[in-house]
Amino acid sequence: MKSPRYSNIIHIFALIHAVIVLLCGFLNITDELLLTVATVSMIAIIAIRKGQGLGVVAACVIAGNIFGFVIGTYGAELLARIIPTPVLHAVTSFVTTEIIGFGLLLLLNAIGGGSAHNRIWVPQLLPMILILGVLLLIRIVYSQIFGNMLSEEAVNISIRLLLSNSLAIIILICCNIIYTIVSHRYSWFSTPLGYIVGIVSETVIIAFITTLVIGYDLPFGTEHPFKDITFIQIFSVAIIASLIIYVAMMLISYVYQTRNRIENEQEKRRLAQFQYNILKQQVNPHFLFNSLNILNGLIEEQRTEDASEYVRKLAALYRYMLQNENEHLVLLSEELSFIDQYTDLLKVRFPYGFTVEKRIDDKAKSRYVVQCSLQVLIENAFKHNIVRAEQPLHITIATEGEYIVVRNNFQPKSSSSESTKVGLKNISKQYMGAIGQDIVINKTESTFEVKLPLI
């Protein structure tokens, strides 16, 4: 069965809100409890279907209730001028629900966390219900205790006092940042009980301290404490302000963690692709076929010592690859030893067709390079250039400053197809992933060189 679209879910809950208002008005009963339940349900369903965790869902519920209250209250004043009073509350609830729903959808699309249409969230179902139930209870208790005290005048005075006190704002922001960092560091806060106790305690304590700072006009105030407004009224606004800042810090932290997780996954994919290409080179059928043909020729010529030496070098070559298959970076000294073994094998096939010259600074040998990067560059030189005794291929491996350079004379094969540069692209990706620095490729009519950064 096809799952309903997010927009349909939002429209359905917007209609439910409007119907609740009309029915409760007809029956002359309060609609606050039912509207809160409907809002929490819509937010939870969308966030869960978007694949979000406990913390993000709870933060979205908190934010949705706060912004729903603000939009519903002040939006009603605007709509009252054009909509008749009997249906004003229903229209306001419908519009507010639409704004909350699509605002939430835009937010979740922006911060990431793919769709979870087909996900069965059994392991987190009970904790999610517990957290949403407690948040719903807090919302109801808060509205019943403090709702009558929060007149428009009291809210405006509290907001003005809060915004005019720099110390109060600093306390709200800094304490919520610290709590967000601490709660992500310790796993206890990820449990339902830990999350509830943590967010309630943090909000009450910060709001209490902020209220005292505002009420006594700290740190340099001379005004009479709580001269124009009660402690409870400031405390109520401070709780809302603290929750808003907490939600913002929570979502910013989530975005940052999500970005790091995506970058780590991309790096893992790049490394896996590079290791896959290295594996393909390890079992390259052409290289293996040529090696076996050479070995067979040595045996037929009864050059047993040469055949034994060839097998030893071939085994050492593969041993190096296997030993370092999980290593992203290797010492330059080890890579150079590997190159010596590789070129020794090439000399059996091309005894007079090429030369390899090395000019390496001793200090550079303790630096690192991407595994098999030099071997790939030498292999590319043989693959794309003529190798003959009368037209030899000259390869130079040298250190130049912070680079090791592999350079060869450019004499392309006439029958060679255009290079796909897959090997160079893979090396480039590994360097960018490891140190954020790319390789340098220089090509002229007579030479081709690649500069690899020393790590």
Side-chain angles (χ1 to χ4, degrees), residues 19 21 32 44 47 63-64 78 110 112 133 284 301 338 347 427 445 451:
V19 171
V21 170
E32 185 172 0
L78 297 175
N284 187 309
E301 295 175 7
F338 170 63
K347 286 177 182 178
I427 296 174
E445 293 183 358
K451 302 172 70 174

Side-chain angles (χ1 to χ4, degrees), residues 17 35 49 91 110 115 120 192 219 221 227 248 253 282 406 409 428 437:
H17 277 70
L35 290 177
R49 285 168 57 83
V91 173
S115 178
I120 301 176
K227 180 179 179 181
S253 174
Q282 292 173 5
V406 178
N409 54 321
S428 172
Q437 184 177 354

Side-chain angles (χ1 to χ4, degrees), residues 26-27 63 74 89 96 115 124 175 179 188 227 234-235 275 292 323 332 392 408 424 451:
F26 178 76
L27 298 175
Y74 293 98
H89 193 186
T96 301
S115 178
Q124 289 190 340
C175 288
Y179 176 76
W188 183 80
K227 180 179 179 181
I234 300 178
F235 182 70
Q275 291 175 335
L292 292 177
Q323 287 176 345
L332 177 59
N408 63 269
L424 292 176
K451 302 172 70 174

Side-chain angles (χ1 to χ4, degrees), residues 205-402:
I205 293 172
I206 294 177
F208 181 81
I209 296 173
T210 304
T211 302
L212 293 179
V213 170
I214 295 174
Y216 287 98
D217 197 22
L218 299 176
F220 306 113
T222 58
E223 295 291 330
H224 189 276
F226 305 109
K227 180 179 179 181
D228 301 319
I229 196 168
T230 66
F231 177 91
I232 295 298
Q233 288 172 326
I234 300 178
F235 182 70
S236 302
V237 173
I239 286 179
I240 296 175
S242 180
L243 286 174
I244 291 174
I245 295 174
Y246 165 75
V247 170
M249 294 298 104
M250 174 75 179
L251 295 178
I252 290 173
S253 174
Y254 179 80
V255 170
Y256 178 77
Q257 291 180 343
T258 301
R259 186 186 66 180
N260 286 343
R261 188 163 55 249
I262 291 174
E263 289 178 353
N264 291 335
E265 290 300 322
Q266 289 175 341
E267 173 61 21
K268 289 180 181 178
R269 284 198 296 270
R270 285 196 296 265
L271 180 58
Q273 180 64 39
F274 180 74
Q275 291 175 335
Y276 171 69
N277 288 319
I278 291 296
L279 180 61
K280 287 197 299 183
Q281 292 169 9
Q282 292 173 5
V283 293
N284 187 309
H286 297 290
F287 176 73
L288 186 59
F289 178 76
N290 290 330
S291 298
L292 292 177
N293 276 340
I294 291 171
L295 182 59
N296 182 63
L298 294 174
I299 294 173
E300 288 182 347
E301 295 175 7
Q302 296 183 353
R303 296 165 57 186
T304 55
E305 291 185 3
D306 291 339
S308 177
E309 180 68 11
Y310 189 85
V311 170
R312 185 186 66 79
K313 291 179 179 179
L314 185 62
L317 193 74
Y318 277 89
R319 186 181 302 111
Y320 172 84
M321 292 180 176
L322 293 173
Q323 287 176 345
N324 295 284
E325 63 180 348
N326 295 321
E327 296 295 332
H328 186 30
L329 303 174
V330 294
L331 284 170
L332 177 59
S333 59
E334 295 180 0
E335 184 75 0
L336 291 172
S337 298
F338 170 63
I339 292 302
D340 289 339
Q341 296 168 350
Y342 181 66
T343 52
D344 283 346
L345 292 179
L346 292 174
K347 286 177 182 178
V348 177
R349 183 181 176 191
F350 305 98
Y352 307 108
F354 76 97
T355 61
V356 176
E357 179 185 1
K358 291 188 293 184
R359 298 195 300 269
I360 308 297
D361 184 5
D362 289 337
K363 293 182 179 179
K365 292 181 180 180
S366 59
R367 306 283 289 275
Y368 287 84
V369 293
V370 168
Q371 184 214 0
C372 291
S373 55
L374 298 181
Q375 183 266 332
V376 171
L377 297 179
I378 293 175
E379 182 183 22
N380 282 348
F382 276 83
K383 180 179 178 181
H384 299 294
N385 291 278
I386 297 171
V387 184
R388 298 197 194 106
E390 63 276 12
Q391 197 174 357
L393 176 67
H394 300 289
I395 300 175
T396 303
I397 304 174
T399 49
E400 296 180 4
E402 292 297 308

Side-chain angles (χ1 to χ4, degrees), residues 388-438:
R388 298 197 194 106
E390 63 276 12
Q391 197 174 357
L393 176 67
H394 300 289
I395 300 175
T396 303
I397 304 174
T399 49
E400 296 180 4
E402 292 297 308
Y403 292 90
I404 181 164
V405 183
V406 178
R407 183 183 298 110
N408 63 269
N409 54 321
F410 187 59
Q411 43 190 36
K413 297 177 180 178
S414 58
S415 60
S416 176
S417 58
E418 185 177 353
S419 172
T420 59
K421 298 183 180 179
V422 173
L424 292 176
K425 289 178 181 178
N426 287 331
I427 296 174
S428 172
K429 289 178 181 178
Q430 296 315 302
Y431 272 99
M432 289 298 296
I435 60 174
Q437 184 177 354
D438 204 353

